[in-house]
Amino acid sequence: MTAVCAVYVWHRAAEVKTPVVQQKEPSPAPTSQATLDKLKQLGARWKRNQHGQVYWLFLKRLPLADDDLMVLRELPEVQTVTLRGVHTIKGNHFTDDGLRHVGQLKKLRYLDLSVNYQLTDAGLRHLESLKQLEYLDLSGCHRFSDACGASLAQLTSLRTLKLRQTSLTPDVLTALSQLPELKHLAVNYAKGMWLNENTIVPLEEMPLEELEGLLIKDENLPLIARLKSLKLVPFEQDRLIKDDQLSYLIHISQIKKLNVVLTRGISDTSQLKQLRMLPELETLSISLGKSSAGVPLDRSGLLALAKMPTLKELGIGLVNVPVLEAISHCTQVQKLNLNVDRSQFQPTDLVYLKEMSSLKDLTVQIALVSDDLWATLGKVKSLEEISFNRGWPPQKEPPPFSMASLKQLQNLPHLKGLDLNGFPVTDEGLGYLGQCRTLERLELNNAPITNAGLLQLRHLEHLKRLNFYGSKIDMDTAVELHRFIPQCRIEDNWCCGCMTIYADRSVTQK
């Protein structure tokens, strides 16, 4: 039997693709004119996004009542609200109840409630639903108690919290340690916000990068090392730090300014080598003190400063010649303030500054002023600004030097600013200064100059500011000078010091 096999081939019908029509999303509705009229009536300022919706609202120092804030319910896109200082305006009735309306702004990211004395813990409970809030300022709201920490802990997106001039104590820190995103915290130092073994526990649980208002005794500075995420120092930048305390700070990567005192004077600068661990340090002030008798100078820390490329401003004292030679290796420094040890230093010793190729701004003691000083500074070709530290109490006697020595300043091709306040500059001196054609600022207060001598400055075509308080220059002469240099602001004590010849804007704006 022959088997016959029938083969069936099935063909799948080609699918017919029906084009999908994308439904265009309707444009978001802009904020209505009626709502804008309400805002205008309140005195508010606002900004709108590309869809015409109000997203930024400024209600600072307005005579608001709680019910006035009902308008916020018509502004669902608002992300920023400023209600600072509403209490200061007569007729306001802004209380905790007004925060009910603020709590409806689900997209709110920035809220400033500072300096509102009527707000209490009850008001903050209205804000617990603001899960996108990143910035909150309660500074000056002194009726809050530590119990408000429970409400603050609900704001889990908070990155910045400011609590200055409040009644909150260190007890609130435990609640704040529950905020997983908190980067910047400003606390109230007046309520004993000290860094100690108790406060460090909740603080180190926070991912803090900035901490303001904390009080820190020297013996508790080691605790700073436990705040691993800090990027800025948690104390005022002008605070003096002993060199043996630097190890507690070297993990703080964004320190830009420090004032350091050497505990062993210039006999041992080795601790300064730790500063190389601060990659963003720009400004450094060092108090050296006097060297110990018979102890050799250790320059290692000063020489290490030359290996810090970000260091641009350096203040240092008391400086002797070996110290100056060591810091002259800091060719990256642009601004230098020197307080010298006059018993071991002469103006000609400043010749080491020639090695500092980036040096633009120099401040030295007025006691150094002499013919030798001008001759030496005339060799530091990079200088743009020269000024003087007059000390306290200020030196009464004007520094002695010959007017001809000012001619040395003509050797500085980039000189822009010169402070000669209180110097006995005469008409002869003005003649030499008038040849410093790059000058933009010249201070000549109390100089014994005359009307005829002043006009020798008429060729300073770049001069923008000229002061000569305490001189005997007539205003007519100053006006005549201004015709030659209209871009310059000229100040003197005519009419009890209130007269000024302002720069011609048509010239300065070109």
Side-chain angles (χ1 to χ4, degrees):
M1 179 182 292
T2 304
V4 179
C5 297
V7 180
Y8 293 89
V9 180
W10 292 88
H11 295 278
R12 187 175 182 180
E15 294 182 1
V16 178
K17 294 184 178 179
T18 304
V20 178
V21 178
Q22 295 289 339
Q23 295 293 330
K24 187 177 181 180
E25 291 286 339
S27 299
T31 303
S32 69
Q33 186 59 49
T35 300
L36 297 179
D37 289 342
K38 293 178 185 178
L39 294 176
K40 184 176 181 180
Q41 187 175 6
L42 291 176
R45 292 157 51 194
W46 63 86
K47 295 179 183 178
R48 291 186 284 178
N49 60 23
Q50 68 272 27
H51 303 299
Q53 301 166 312
V54 173
Y55 73 94
W56 181 91
L57 191 57
F58 192 80
L59 299 163
K60 178 180 176 181
R61 291 176 56 83
L62 296 180
L64 298 175
D66 292 335
D67 288 344
D68 290 331
L69 296 181
M70 289 183 64
V71 69
L72 297 180
R73 297 173 181 265
E74 303 172 31
L75 303 169
E77 299 299 319
V78 164
Q79 299 181 26
T80 298
V81 173
T82 298
L83 281 162
R84 176 179 171 84
V86 174
H87 86 278
T88 60
I89 302 301
K90 184 178 180 181
N92 85 85
H93 300 283
F94 178 45
T95 67
D96 291 334
D97 197 49
L99 294 183
R100 288 188 302 112
H101 310 298
V102 178
Q104 302 300 312
L105 299 173
K106 303 304 180 185
K107 295 186 179 182
L108 194 63
R109 295 179 179 273
Y110 178 104
L111 178 59
D112 185 350
L113 294 174
S114 58
V115 204
N116 285 299
Y117 299 158
Q118 302 305 315
L119 300 182
T120 70
D121 300 346
L124 283 188
R125 288 196 283 271
H126 296 307
L127 306 181
E128 293 178 3
S129 60
L130 300 178
K131 300 303 182 182
Q132 295 191 47
L133 192 65
E134 298 178 1
Y135 180 104
L136 178 61
D137 191 347
L138 302 178
S139 301
C141 299
H142 56 74
R143 296 186 64 182
F144 291 124
S145 73
D146 292 334
C148 77
S151 295
L152 294 174
Q154 302 300 312
L155 305 176
T156 53
S157 292
L158 268 187
R159 296 176 63 86
T160 297
L161 178 60
K162 297 190 175 184
L163 303 173
R164 289 188 177 277
Q165 297 178 322
T166 64
S167 298
L168 303 182
T169 74
D171 291 339
V172 77
L173 296 177
T174 300
L176 300 185
S177 67
Q178 301 176 46
L179 296 171
E181 302 294 331
L182 191 61
K183 305 293 185 184
H184 181 181
L185 175 62
V187 297
N188 184 16
Y189 62 86
K191 288 298 178 179
M193 285 284 190
W194 290 92
L195 181 65
N196 53 42
E197 292 291 348
N198 294 322
T199 57
I200 189 61
V201 175
L203 286 172
E204 65 181 332
E205 294 178 4
M206 306 178 199
L208 291 174
E209 296 179 357
E210 299 180 44
L211 179 57
E212 299 179 51
L214 202 64
L215 300 170
I216 308 175
K217 296 180 180 179
D218 279 357
E219 59 265 31
N220 286 325
L221 279 173
L223 295 175
I224 294 176
R226 293 167 59 177
L227 301 175
K228 300 297 185 182
S229 56
L230 276 186
K231 294 185 177 179
L232 297 174
V233 290
F235 46 75
E236 65 281 2
Q237 290 189 340
D238 292 335
R239 176 174 180 161
L240 284 175
I241 298 297
K242 296 177 182 177
D243 56 354
D244 56 6
Q245 298 168 338
L246 289 175
S247 60
Y248 312 136
L249 307 179
I250 57 176
H251 70 290
I252 305 178
S253 61
Q254 293 184 7
I255 294 179
K256 297 184 182 296
K257 179 179 180 180
L258 270 183
N259 290 343
V260 180
V261 56
L262 298 190
T263 54
R264 300 180 183 179
I266 59 177
S267 299
D268 183 359
T269 67
S270 59
Q271 296 284 355
L272 295 177
K273 289 187 284 188
Q274 297 182 77
L275 296 174
R276 288 183 294 177
M277 303 294 291
L278 302 178
E280 298 188 17
L281 189 65
E282 297 177 355
T283 302
L284 177 62
S285 176
I286 305 173
S287 299
L288 292 175
K290 295 185 178 181
S291 58
S292 301
V295 179
L297 171 67
D298 173 6
R299 306 186 307 159
S300 60
L302 297 173
L303 292 172
L305 301 181
K307 299 178 180 179
M308 298 173 58
T310 60
L311 186 61
K312 303 301 180 186
E313 183 174 345
L314 180 60
I316 190 164
L318 294 165
V319 175
N320 59 23
V321 176
V323 169
L324 182 61
E325 190 280 328
I327 64 174
S328 70
H329 294 273
C330 296
T331 57
Q332 80 281 26
V333 168
Q334 299 177 4
K335 186 173 182 178
L336 183 63
N337 189 329
L338 296 178
N339 182 19
V340 305
D341 184 349
R342 287 291 282 121
S343 65
Q344 304 181 49
F345 201 92
Q346 298 298 321
T348 52
D349 294 327
L350 290 175
V351 71
Y352 284 107
L353 299 181
K354 291 196 305 179
E355 308 301 322
M356 303 179 71
S357 55
S358 299
L359 185 61
K360 297 180 180 180
D361 191 324
L362 176 65
T363 300
V364 296
Q365 288 166 271
I366 197 171
L368 287 179
V369 174
S370 64
D371 293 346
D372 287 340
L373 176 72
W374 299 124
T376 304
L377 294 184
K379 299 174 183 178
V380 188
K381 302 297 184 181
S382 60
L383 282 179
E384 296 182 4
E385 299 276 343
I386 300 174
S387 55
F388 296 89
N389 180 357
R390 287 160 174 80
W392 189 260
Q395 179 174 317
K396 294 183 178 180
E397 294 299 322
F401 60 93
S402 67
M403 293 299 107
S405 65
L406 293 177
K407 186 176 182 180
Q408 303 294 333
L409 297 176
Q410 297 173 18
N411 297 325
L412 300 178
H414 309 291
L415 186 63
K416 295 180 180 180
L418 185 58
D419 172 8
L420 297 177
N421 286 333
F423 287 27
V425 178
T426 64
D427 289 355
E428 180 188 358
L430 289 182
Y432 297 115
L433 296 175
Q435 299 302 312
C436 298
R437 300 300 177 87
T438 58
L439 274 176
E440 296 181 4
R441 177 184 61 84
L442 181 57
E443 311 280 345
L444 293 167
N445 294 347
N446 298 311
I449 54 178
T450 69
N451 292 328
L454 185 67
L455 294 178
Q456 296 180 89
L457 303 180
R458 64 186 182 277
H459 299 301
L460 298 180
E461 58 185 17
H462 299 290
L463 197 62
K464 298 177 181 178
R465 182 163 183 169
L466 173 62
N467 291 350
F468 40 82
Y469 287 104
S471 70
K472 297 182 179 180
I473 299 297
D474 294 331
M475 189 171 184
D476 289 343
T477 303
V479 170
E480 183 179 354
L481 176 63
H482 194 256
R483 294 194 186 101
F484 291 97
I485 47 175
Q487 79 287 348
C488 185
R489 174 188 174 109
I490 301 178
E491 298 181 0
D492 193 8
N493 57 350
W494 305 295
C495 190
C496 304
C498 61
M499 289 294 294
T500 296
I501 303 175
Y502 292 94
D504 187 337
R505 289 188 177 182
S506 65
V507 176
T508 58
Q509 293 177 355
K510 287 184 178 180

